[in-house]
Amino acid sequence: MSVNEDPLTWRRRTTGGIPYKLMEGGPRFNFAEEDGSAEETILIQSSRLLDFVNESFSDITVFPGSVWNHRPARRMPGFPQFITKTISTEPFPPGKP
């Protein structure tokens, strides 16, 4: 996987239109009788990180007059029952194309 490609050519996009790539070996899942979790490793442009974080977590805004604006958290593509709870970042491994 080359990071030298133009991100506009990447096939995957978040709901807000942020291009990303799913890294090889993922996603990974853990299941228990009444619990489950998933982990994705994705590649995004560092300049879009804050946009991705803001889009990934839910937000509730209250306006005067009791008008609520609720933005749901990011759901995992293909598994909408999984929503984003944590985000960890690390730089792309050096020496890789």
Side-chain angles (χ1 to χ4, degrees):
M1 167 185 317
S2 174
V3 294
N4 297 321
E5 298 173 13
D6 181 357
L8 295 177
T9 65
W10 296 353
R11 187 172 51 102
R12 295 179 189 207
R13 301 241 184 290
T14 66
T15 304
I18 300 168
Y20 72 95
K21 283 190 171 191
L22 184 63
M23 300 295 284
E24 294 177 19
R28 291 179 292 283
F29 297 92
N30 292 303
F31 295 100
E33 188 170 340
E34 295 185 19
D35 192 21
S37 65
E39 182 178 316
E40 298 174 287
T41 302
I42 65 170
L43 177 67
I44 63 170
Q45 292 176 285
S46 59
S47 62
R48 300 301 305 267
L49 178 60
L50 187 56
D51 295 333
F52 182 78
V53 170
N54 287 332
E55 182 180 322
S56 294
F57 296 114
S58 62
D59 184 31
I60 297 176
T61 306
V62 181
F63 297 99
S66 298
V67 177
W68 293 69
N69 180 23
H70 177 259
R71 187 187 73 229
R74 179 180 176 266
R75 295 188 178 273
M76 184 176 189
F79 294 89
Q81 62 273 35
F82 291 114
I83 61 171
T84 301
K85 296 290 185 182
T86 61
I87 296 175
S88 300
T89 66
E90 62 184 62
F92 196 72
K96 295 220 174 183

